[in-house]
Amino acid sequence: TTVETDGTTALAMAEFFPSSQGCKATYSLTLNLDKPCETVRAERFADLGEGALLSDNIRVMTGANAMRISLITSGETCTLIKTETLD
């Protein structure tokens, strides 16, 4: 999944490490989006389903490649944290 930010502040971090099959990489992307988390989920991650509601303002969804999407509501905005491991 690709998230276009249109100038939104984002932080991306990646780690690379050897594995028995060559090399793996894990990345984490954190974005603050100026829209409600339900809108972000519906527009970008609907294929992941509802996920798990950890609290009133935190929803976590999982996908392929050990991908994890965390949506954290803060007022009318949403903080999105996407983590994924790639082979």
Side-chain angles (χ1 to χ4, degrees), residues 5-65:
T5 65
D6 295 330
T8 301
T9 301
L11 170 67
M13 297 188 302
E15 297 177 11
F16 302 89
F17 49 94
S19 73
S20 60
Q21 292 120 5
C23 185
K24 286 190 175 190
T26 297
Y27 73 89
S28 179
L29 174 65
T30 303
L31 298 165
N32 290 314
L33 301 169
D34 194 23
K35 55 177 74 176
C37 284
E38 270 308 305
T39 302
V40 173
R41 188 192 65 74
E43 290 178 355
R44 310 264 187 200
F45 305 107
D47 59 322
L48 299 180
E50 292 291 320
L53 196 59
L54 300 183
S55 69
D56 289 343
N57 68 326
I58 301 173
R59 180 176 303 277
V60 177
M61 299 161 292
T62 57
N65 295 326

Side-chain angles (χ1 to χ4, degrees), residues 65-87:
N65 295 326
M67 180 176 67
R68 184 176 61 232
I69 303 293
S70 301
L71 299 175
I72 304 168
T73 299
S74 179
E76 293 297 314
T77 65
C78 183
T79 299
L80 180 154
I81 304 168
K82 179 181 179 185
T83 305
E84 187 172 12
T85 299
L86 306 172
D87 290 326

